[in-house]
Structures are given as structure tokens and as C-alpha cells.
Amino acid sequence: MLADLAYPSDGESLPAIMYVHGGRWFMGARAGNTMWEELNVVKWAERGFFALTIDYRLLGSSPAPAPYEDLQCAIRWLHSHADQYGIDPKRVYLIGDSAGGHLVSLAAALGDGPYARMGGWADAGNEIRAVISAAGAYDLNTLDWGDAWEPFTTVADSVERQVSAFGESLAEMSPEESAKWKPLLEELNQDLRPWVDNRRQIGGGEAVRRLASPLHQVGPATKPILVIHSDDDSSVPVQQALDMVQSLEDAGVFYR
């Protein structure tokens, strides 16, 4: 996962802001789009922020919830490097558009949830202060492209079969060759087992999309959200935003 970042060279106790791009989880990148021109990390650094914009694994190559796992990993990275860069860990803000709006809103409502902490810095904090969601998706089961959010437990099964086959192949090697490859097998089992188990726990279908829908995860602990949406959005109907606002209102969560 790559990121662009910028920050004042003489800053202390800096607020941090992270931009998460859109693209229906299948496309897009951390820079080079229209939103990025307004959210250029250098511009934000000039305003006194530690600013970064991240890439995340796209669903064309990695099944859900890979994009969300990568966002959570980036948040943990911020917390783990707060002292190094002079970041105030109590002032971490997220901003995203479309699919990115979905991801940052889910972070505000769900936090870790049942998802495994993948990618590193597993012991770091992941607290955020507030989020801005522009044209975000909030209910995946009523969104015409929401069914792309599918963990594919068959992928976990395939990974486990391949690791098992690798282990079986060691028995056919010479003792010297087997000893050379055995540490790699042990490392694979250690690294992949949490991922395989987590994918099976999450499951699939409507239930997993409901879990990943910010609308259905809003509660008293949800972080403040600024909801921005156009009434002629052809990708995410404005009704999604109206329903989200009502859910925030019902839960007593601060929003605008």
C-alpha cells in the first residue's frame, strides 16, 4: 500500500487528515483525480496539517473487506508514527468521496468491527476524531453496485488448499531441501491463518454487506460526520445520504 504525505517541517501536535479515494472499490488512486486537486497533501500541509492520501487494494484483485482493512492499517500507521512526525493522535480526521466516503464513514461507525487487523501495526491505536464523507455509500444492499462487496470465502479455501499442498510437497523433498523450505511454510501458516479464519467468520451475501454498511452500524459511539451529497448523483442516490442523516439523528450523533 502506497501513500503520499506532507507536513510542516517545524510542526508539533499536528492534526492529521487522510484522504481516501473513490472508484466503487474497483478503480481510482491516491492522486491524479479531481478531488485530489482540492485535497493535495501539500496544500493541507501549508494549512498546518499532517496530510496523507492513500491507495488501497482494489476489489478487482483482492476481495472485500480488503479496502477497509487497508484504511484501518493506514490509521494505525498514523498512530504508531505520531511521535516521529509530531502528530496529535487525538486529532485524526478522514475525508473520502464515493467509495472512499463509504470507507471513512464505516470507520466512524464501526471501527475495527469483526475484521482482522491486517498489514501491520496490529497493536497501534485506530482512534479518529471525525470524518467528511462526500457522495458516500451508506447502505450496500440497496446500492446497485453494492454487491461487489463480497468476501468470497472460496478464496480463503483456495489459499488454505495451496498452503496445505505446499506442506505436503515438503514430505517428497530431500531432508536438506525440506529443512530449507520448512521455515517458509511455518511463516505462511502464521501469517495466513488469521486471514483465512477471519474470511470464514465474516461470511458473505446480504449479511456481510449489512455489516459493511455505515447506515446499519451507527450508534452512540459513532464519530461526528459531515455528510455532503448532490441530489443528482447518478452513482450513489441522494436517498442514501438522507437515510444516513436520519440514522445519525436517531442515534444522537453529531453531524452536519
Side-chain angles (χ1 to χ4, degrees):
M1 184 173 67
L2 299 177
D4 294 334
L5 58 89
Y7 53 94
S9 59
D10 56 351
E12 292 184 4
S13 193
L14 298 171
I17 188 163
M18 181 191 305
Y19 167 57
V20 185
H21 70 80
R24 299 191 175 193
W25 315 300
F26 271 100
M27 53 190 171
R30 67 187 186 278
N33 55 52
T34 303
M35 285 289 289
W36 179 82
E37 293 302 325
E38 298 301 322
L39 300 170
N40 187 311
V41 292
V42 174
K43 293 181 180 179
W44 280 100
E46 291 171 349
R47 295 180 174 95
F49 285 85
F50 179 96
L52 73 162
T53 174
I54 66 168
D55 281 335
Y56 51 81
R57 287 171 292 165
L58 302 176
L59 295 191
S61 58
S62 299
Y68 188 67
E69 289 172 341
D70 289 351
L71 168 58
Q72 286 294 322
C73 180
I75 297 171
R76 297 195 305 271
W77 181 90
L78 268 178
H79 279 269
S80 67
H81 291 78
D83 290 342
Q84 178 180 346
Y85 291 105
I87 299 168
D88 181 353
K90 295 182 179 179
R91 293 193 293 163
V92 175
Y93 302 91
L94 309 178
I95 180 168
D97 62 296
S98 191
H102 159 255
L103 295 172
V104 301
S105 298
L106 190 60
L110 184 64
D112 277 323
Y115 301 124
R117 286 193 160 200
M118 307 297 291
W121 304 284
D123 296 328
N126 67 336
E127 282 294 308
I128 57 174
R129 182 75 171 268
V131 309
I132 300 172
S133 174
Y138 305 105
D139 187 355
L140 304 191
N141 281 315
T142 62
L143 186 67
D144 62 3
W145 45 274
D147 59 358
W149 193 271
E150 176 60 54
F152 297 136
T153 54
T154 54
V155 175
D157 294 339
S158 176
V159 168
E160 187 166 52
R161 284 196 301 271
Q162 292 179 51
V163 173
S164 296
F166 178 45
E168 292 170 1
S169 69
L170 294 186
E172 302 174 1
M173 297 180 182
S174 67
E176 293 79 10
E177 283 292 304
S178 178
K180 182 173 70 174
W181 290 105
K182 187 175 180 180
L184 175 59
L185 176 63
E186 293 173 348
E187 184 177 347
L188 284 172
N189 275 314
Q190 179 179 349
D191 292 345
L192 292 174
R193 174 53 55 190
W195 183 88
V196 170
D197 291 344
N198 186 248
R199 287 300 184 274
R200 288 184 173 145
Q201 174 190 350
I202 292 171
E206 288 190 6
V208 77
R209 287 190 287 277
R210 183 181 178 88
L211 171 65
S213 296
L215 175 68
H216 298 296
Q217 303 306 326
V218 170
T222 297
K223 304 302 182 183
I225 302 179
L226 172 59
V227 178
I228 303 172
H229 218 101
S230 169
D231 60 7
D232 64 351
D233 191 323
S234 60
S235 180
V236 181
V238 69
Q239 188 61 47
Q240 292 246 337
L242 297 175
D243 291 343
M244 182 64 173
V245 165
Q246 186 61 58
S247 182
L248 294 168
E249 177 78 24
D250 292 344
V253 176
F254 184 84
Y255 72 91
R256 285 290 184 268

